[in-house]
Amino acid sequence: MSRSSGRGQTEPLAAIVAVATVGVGLSLYAGVLDATLPGERDRSTAPAALERVDHEIAPAGVARPERVPGSHEAGPAGYRTNVTLAVGGRRWSSGPTVPPDADETEERLGVRVSPATVEPGRLRVAVWR
C-alpha cells in the first residue's frame, strides 16, 4: 500500500498542539465560569485572620490579655472580625457581635494572667462580611 492511500493522517506535532490548546481553553473557561457563578463563599479567611491576630496579641507565643482591645483590626480587609481570648472563667473580647453564619476558628495557647503566671487558654477568631 502506498503512503498516500487516501486515509486521513495528521502530523504528530500538530495533534499534540491541538490537544494542548483544547486543554488550556477548557481550563480557562472553567476558571472564569467558577469565578462568576454564585456559590459557597470562601471559608479560608478565618485561619488567616487567626494567624494575624495571634501575631498581634501573642508575639512571643504567649498571649497577653491587655493586647486584645483593638486586635480585631488585624483581621482581613473588607471583613468584620471578632477576637475572643478566654482563660479559666475570664474572657476578653474585641470587635462586633458575632452573627450565626460567621466563619470561626480557634486555637489553644498560653495566656499570661500575671507577671509570673501563664495558664492555658483559647483564642477564637470569627470573620464575616
Side-chain angles (χ1 to χ4, degrees), residues 8-26:
Q9 291 184 345
T10 305
E11 289 287 327
L13 182 59
I16 291 172
V17 169
V19 169
T21 303
V22 169
V24 169
L26 285 174

Side-chain angles (χ1 to χ4, degrees), residues 46-59:
L50 177 65
E51 185 176 336
R52 292 174 71 177
V53 169
D54 187 351
H55 288 301
E56 181 77 21
I57 68 168

Side-chain angles (χ1 to χ4, degrees), residues 102-113:
D103 183 16
E104 298 181 48
T105 189
E106 65 179 35
E107 71 175 357
R108 298 187 78 158
L109 74 168
V111 179
R112 180 179 179 226
V113 292

Side-chain angles (χ1 to χ4, degrees), residues 45-46 48-57 65-85 92-98 123-128:
T45 54
L50 177 65
E51 185 176 336
R52 292 174 71 177
V53 169
D54 187 351
H55 288 301
E56 181 77 21
I57 68 168
E66 64 268 14
R67 291 179 169 234
V68 172
S71 62
H72 68 282
E73 298 292 330
Y79 289 86
R80 292 186 177 133
T81 305
N82 178 283
V83 176
T84 304
L85 179 64
W92 299 268
S93 188
S94 176
T97 304
V98 180
L123 175 63
R124 184 180 59 88
V125 175
V127 180
W128 69 97

